[in-house]
Structures are given as C-alpha cells and as structure tokens.
Amino acid sequence: MAILSNFRETLSNLFKKPATLDYPAKPRPLAARTRGHVAIDLPACIYCGICQKKCPTGAIKVAKADVTWSIARMSCIQCGACVECCPKKCLALENAATPPASTPTLDVFQGVKKEKVDA
C-alpha cells in the first residue's frame, strides 16, 4: 500500500511546475521594498563628505582634493543613512542586487574637477 501512495505523489508531481528557478537564466525578481545598493549621481556630487561621516560602518570614503567617491560594497549594510543626509540628493538606494563577489571590492568613482569661474 505504501508503494501506491508514493506512486500517486510522484505522478501528481509530474504535472506541476518545478519548485525551483533556473537561476542563471531566470534571476529571481526582487521585491519592491528591497534596498539594493547605494548608487551615486556623480555630476551632482559636491564631495562634502557628510555621507562618509554618517555611514555607521565607514564603508564610504570621500576625497574632495582628488574628486573621488568610493564605497566598500561588502562593508555597506544598506541602511540608507548616507542617502538621507546627502544635501544634494545625489545618493540613492537602487532596487538592484550587487554582483556576487568572493573578495571584498572597493568601487571608486572619479569625478571631474570643477573650475572656478571668476566673474
């Protein structure tokens, strides 16, 4: 009798959709409330360093002299503190996952020095 009950379960599973996804071909859709990762609108950034000071993990580094903004993705906890405090609103939490990595990476964004115009 146990063989027949197992056969019935096997037969019913033949006509159902698989419970898993074909991951590399079909990535799992992200929920609307997913925080994702921090993105920067580099031309709008004034390199004030407030985001660096507000980051609880110290993942963000700003160098005003070099006009660079960098973030250690493995250290970032996607709390959004940097996004809330940015005076120019050039930071945002994008609803996208960062690519997987086996080693800590540092994303460095190099801006363009803005020349002062004398009037």
Side-chain angles (χ1 to χ4, degrees):
M1 285 309 236
I3 294 173
L4 291 178
S5 64
N6 289 341
F7 181 71
R8 189 176 333 141
E9 186 69 28
T10 304
L11 193 60
S12 68
N13 284 333
L14 284 175
F15 301 105
K16 290 182 183 177
K17 288 184 178 180
T20 59
L21 295 175
D22 187 18
Y23 171 66
K26 296 180 186 177
R28 189 175 124 212
L30 297 172
R33 67 176 188 261
T34 302
R35 292 181 185 167
H37 69 276
V38 178
I40 184 169
D41 179 20
L42 211 51
C45 185
I46 58 173
Y47 305 97
C48 60
I50 295 174
C51 55
Q52 177 180 348
K53 293 174 187 167
K54 292 288 184 175
C55 183
T57 61
I60 298 173
K61 302 289 182 220
V62 179
K64 191 169 190 168
D66 299 335
V67 193
T68 58
W69 186 91
S70 61
I71 184 167
R73 297 282 182 200
M74 294 274 194
S75 298
C76 181
I77 58 172
Q78 291 92 17
C79 64
C82 56
V83 176
E84 292 172 4
C85 74
C86 183
K88 291 292 187 174
K89 301 298 178 202
C90 61
L91 296 177
L93 284 173
E94 287 189 347
N95 189 2
T98 55
S102 58
T103 60
T105 58
L106 182 69
D107 291 344
V108 179
F109 299 93
Q110 180 74 39
V112 178
K113 286 190 177 186
K114 298 175 185 170
E115 298 292 328
K116 290 186 179 181
V117 178
D118 294 330

